[in-house]
Amino acid sequence: MNTLARQLRAVDYFTLGWGTMVGVGWLVIMDDWLLRGGALGALLGFVIGGVLLLPIGWVYGKFVVAMPDAAGEIAYTSAVFSRSISFTTGWMMTLAYFIVCPWEAVAVGRIAGYIVPGLDSVELYRIADRPVYLPHLVIGFGLTGILTLLNYRGIRLSATFQNWTSFGTLALFVVFVALGVSRGSTANIQPLFTHTPWVSILLVIQVVPYFMTGFESVGKAAEEARPDFRNRGFLRAISMAIFIGILFYASIVAAVAYVAPWRQLTGEKFMTAVAFQHALGSRWIVNIILAAALLSLFKCFNGNFVAASRLLFALGRRGMVDARAGTIQARYQTPSVAVLCIGFATAACMLLGDAILVPVTEVGSVACAIGWSATCAACLAVARVRPGVMNLSAGERAVVWFGLAVGIAMALMKVVPFVPGHFTVYEWLALGVWIVVGVAIGRRRPQS
């Protein structure tokens, strides 16, 4: 059988979109967010950045209805642009999803080490002066192997896993935030901004694309919808993912700043957990937070794994990379080769350890901003030259133009040297390696 299994429902698409978006950044690098913007600066950064993504989400919703293709951005751009542009867009979006997988695999080792301090032992080597521990690697490799097997065996298994971990995360989040806020104080939230208000907000907005990317993963599984699924459900799932994502990030930033004097805790490992423990004076609240973090990590890892493997599958099916990547496993109806490739590549990148955590967020932000921009540009072009596929009113065109401007701005503010928070040598190196690999593959692919 040469088609993907059609088993996904509306709730599955919501948990895929939201679950892919929200990982464990709120636990692992909360201090980075607050040091960038301060309490109010970080909150406004996520709210403003998230709201700016709504027009882009609308564009994706329109495209998924018009072109329910696992290729996502590759299909949208190839409808009007050259093969090279389509490949470049797909390659960058593959990076945006894939790069999250080793991030989460590394993060699970850090969380495990916090729960069981004895796991922070058997140092193998250091990268950027950060130790890489053998137990962390073993745990990360184990989780990667489990998710690879889960996705190899079928999308229904993967979706069920995604649903349980997503709703479990939300339930635990409500519990620990409610308990912590009851003991907080407005005196804790100072300083509101760590730089000038504008710079503080800008520095946070710069990483929002990375932490909010995922809503567009809905389109990567569009071919796996149940036969009775209504297409307008795609746009609803995307919109809900963005709204709940904004609410989640704004709430957790506000809660951490409110429950404890956050400026005094920025040097602590897992500042979020320490802040709530400080507020309640007990370790049990930390256990709830860590349980929520682990569930969130699992769903984010799984969601990005699904999206990355579907894009790699689409590149293979279209002959843009090795055609074997476009193979569908006959029994499970999954993109088996693409799944295995993502699994092995995740395990390899894990060897870089904790040093990848912050740089990855920067590179992922640019990669997805490029993909969003190309998708918005394709939407305008398709409406102009292929009105039978996409029709836009004057107001809708304005929405798409705004989304295009947002996407371009989000990419430029990380690569333009005079903008605060621009790329450092590590981010340029990571992005450069990915581009070189893409060029090498592109030269070998068949030309149209």
Side-chain angles (χ1 to χ4, degrees), residues 31-352:
D31 55 344
D32 178 67
W33 298 351
L34 287 170
L35 287 173
R36 283 171 179 268
L40 185 58
L43 188 152
L44 290 176
F46 273 103
V47 171
I48 294 171
V51 169
L52 289 175
L53 297 183
L54 287 171
I56 298 174
W58 182 86
V59 171
Y60 272 92
K62 291 283 286 186
F63 257 134
V64 178
V65 172
M67 299 180 185
D69 192 315
E73 294 84 0
I74 304 167
Y76 311 151
T77 52
S78 65
V80 284
F81 298 141
S82 69
R83 186 181 179 89
S84 295
I85 291 176
S86 181
F87 171 76
T88 300
T89 303
W91 190 244
M92 294 307 294
M93 285 305 294
T94 302
L95 171 63
Y97 294 116
F98 163 70
I99 207 168
V100 179
C101 296
W103 199 102
E104 302 294 347
V106 168
V108 73
R110 291 192 70 194
I111 295 173
Y114 188 78
I115 297 172
V116 183
L119 295 176
D120 291 342
S121 61
V122 193
E123 181 178 327
L124 299 177
Y125 50 87
R126 286 178 173 258
I127 294 181
D129 203 34
R130 290 177 177 267
V132 176
Y133 298 113
L134 177 60
H136 290 200
L137 289 180
V138 171
I139 293 169
F141 288 150
L143 177 59
T144 301
I146 290 170
L147 292 184
T148 301
L149 178 62
L150 194 70
N151 281 279
Y152 186 91
R153 292 291 300 270
I155 189 61
R156 186 65 257 159
L157 281 174
S158 180
T160 300
F161 177 85
Q162 192 75 2
N163 292 344
W164 279 100
T165 52
S166 293
F167 289 116
T169 299
L170 285 171
L172 290 175
F173 171 78
V174 171
V175 170
F176 77 75
V177 167
L179 290 172
V181 168
S182 67
R183 303 290 184 87
S185 169
T186 55
N188 294 327
I189 66 175
Q190 297 295 333
L192 296 179
F193 301 98
T194 51
H195 306 81
T196 64
W198 165 244
V199 171
S200 297
I201 295 171
L202 177 65
L203 289 173
V204 177
I205 288 177
Q206 287 177 340
V207 297
V208 167
Y210 176 81
F211 291 104
M212 291 288 287
T213 190
F215 61 86
E216 70 292 319
S217 64
V218 168
K220 314 307 183 292
E223 293 181 33
E224 296 164 271
R226 289 168 58 96
D228 59 349
F229 184 83
R230 296 183 179 181
N231 283 348
R232 62 175 177 269
F234 291 126
L235 180 56
R236 289 176 181 171
I238 290 171
S239 300
M240 283 296 295
I242 295 176
F243 277 118
I244 300 300
I246 294 171
L247 180 62
F248 182 94
Y249 282 123
S251 298
I252 191 62
V253 168
V256 171
Y258 182 73
V259 300
W262 68 266
R263 196 65 179 85
Q264 300 174 22
L265 303 177
T266 52
E268 297 284 347
K269 186 177 183 181
F270 298 145
M271 174 187 167
T272 300
V274 174
F276 279 87
Q277 183 176 6
H278 185 279
L280 294 176
S282 176
R283 173 76 183 184
W284 61 266
I285 190 70
V286 174
N287 295 332
I288 295 178
I289 294 172
L290 293 178
L294 286 173
L295 288 178
S296 191
L297 184 151
F298 295 156
K299 69 174 178 51
C300 187
F301 194 166
N302 184 64
N304 280 281
F305 198 109
V306 170
S309 60
R310 269 50 179 184
L311 272 181
L312 184 58
F313 161 75
L315 288 168
R317 187 170 59 178
R318 290 170 177 258
M320 294 181 171
V321 299
D322 193 310
R324 287 174 292 186
T327 301
I328 295 178
Q329 211 278 341
R331 179 179 177 185
Y332 302 118
Q333 295 177 258
T334 56
S336 53
V337 174
V339 166
L340 292 174
C341 286
I342 296 299
F344 284 121
T346 296
C349 290
M350 265 194 64
L351 298 173
L352 295 174

Side-chain angles (χ1 to χ4, degrees), residues 395-406:
E396 290 173 334
R397 282 195 297 271
V399 170
V400 181
W401 274 109
F402 184 77
L404 176 60
V406 169

